[in-house]
Amino acid sequence: MYRAEIIDDNPRHSLAKITGTMPSIKKHNYYLHIAIAPTKNQDRLEWFVEKAVELGIDEISPLICEHSERKRIKKERLHKIAISAMKQSFKTHITKINDIIYFPDLIQTSLEGKKLIAHIDSGKETESLAVNYSRNENALILIGPEGDFSKEEIKLALENNFIPVSLGNSRLRTETAGIAACCQVYFLNQ
């Protein structure tokens, strides 16, 4: 981070002179990647991206699932929202926004860190994210679409070593579940 003085404020090509450095904001010791199904309403996904970036998420993968109602995203717009949220929250690292990916393709890629799937159709008591996540651990958390993951998707995730987790007692909207996961990881690492 640098302190600068604007020398030329031309709107097309401003110029600044570096006058000093500022203490760098330390990047956290973990890597958080959330793969989330885009919501029917684009504004809700945009809200998720903004808030997740403010919390310090490292990577977001829009995820197409069997129950997905939206199969397209505006990646450039999400990237602009991420940059704006990064500046607003005084972050020095930009969140990576990936191209949209199909569930089976993401599940079968090689991933480092803890692999977690937040879903509600388990038929049994599921342990919380806090029980299944350790401080400073890299993690990929899957958040399903409105209507949750299909039984086949859950089975495929479990076969590929994803651990089912609960985000609490309430049934959450997709974007709220994504923020709940970000917040839990954020606070577990404080």
Side-chain angles (χ1 to χ4, degrees), residues 34-182:
I34 291 191
I36 187 168
T39 54
K40 182 172 30 177
N41 182 338
Q42 177 73 20
D43 292 346
R44 292 177 191 255
L45 179 63
E46 292 172 2
W47 180 85
F48 163 76
V49 168
E50 179 183 66
K51 302 309 170 197
V53 169
E54 289 174 16
L55 289 165
I57 192 170
D58 298 289
E59 186 173 353
I60 299 170
S61 292
L63 186 62
I64 296 179
C65 303
E66 285 185 39
H67 298 154
S68 291
E69 294 188 45
R70 176 178 289 278
K71 302 198 191 288
R72 291 191 183 100
I73 60 162
K74 297 176 182 174
K75 183 179 173 184
E76 297 78 26
R77 177 155 171 75
L78 295 178
H79 183 70
K80 287 178 183 177
I81 289 167
I83 289 172
S84 176
M86 177 192 78
K87 291 176 182 177
Q88 171 66 32
S89 58
F90 213 56
K91 301 282 187 255
T92 57
H93 297 87
I94 185 66
T95 298
K96 181 179 181 185
I97 308 287
N98 293 319
D99 290 326
I100 202 159
I101 187 168
Y102 283 90
F103 185 90
D105 296 333
L106 178 73
I107 293 298
Q108 295 171 353
T109 58
S110 177
L111 306 164
E112 289 187 30
K114 186 70 65 110
K115 300 187 300 185
L116 307 165
I117 179 170
H119 68 90
I120 54 176
D121 189 23
S122 66
K124 61 178 181 161
E125 195 72 23
T126 304
E127 290 183 321
S128 72
L129 187 143
V131 169
N132 288 287
Y133 176 82
S134 300
R135 183 181 170 106
N136 293 328
E137 188 172 35
N138 296 340
L140 166 62
I141 304 171
L142 306 180
I143 305 293
E146 295 137 326
D148 205 7
F149 293 108
S150 70
K151 290 185 185 313
E152 293 79 20
E153 288 168 334
I154 294 167
K155 182 177 182 251
L156 181 61
L158 298 178
E159 288 170 355
N160 283 275
N161 302 315
F162 278 79
I163 300 166
V165 294
S166 167
L167 298 175
N169 296 327
S170 298
R171 176 174 263 180
L172 304 173
R173 287 182 177 270
T174 298
E175 70 280 6
T176 307
I179 293 302
C182 284

Side-chain angles (χ1 to χ4, degrees), residues 5-43:
E5 178 183 322
I6 296 175
I7 296 171
D8 182 358
D9 65 354
N10 184 313
R12 293 183 185 219
H13 57 273
S14 59
L15 185 62
K17 175 184 173 187
I18 296 173
T19 59
T21 60
M22 298 172 66
S24 183
I25 298 172
K26 186 178 175 192
K27 185 157 174 22
H28 48 252
N29 294 328
Y30 61 93
Y31 191 89
L32 179 58
H33 179 183
I34 291 191
I36 187 168
T39 54
K40 182 172 30 177
N41 182 338
Q42 177 73 20
D43 292 346

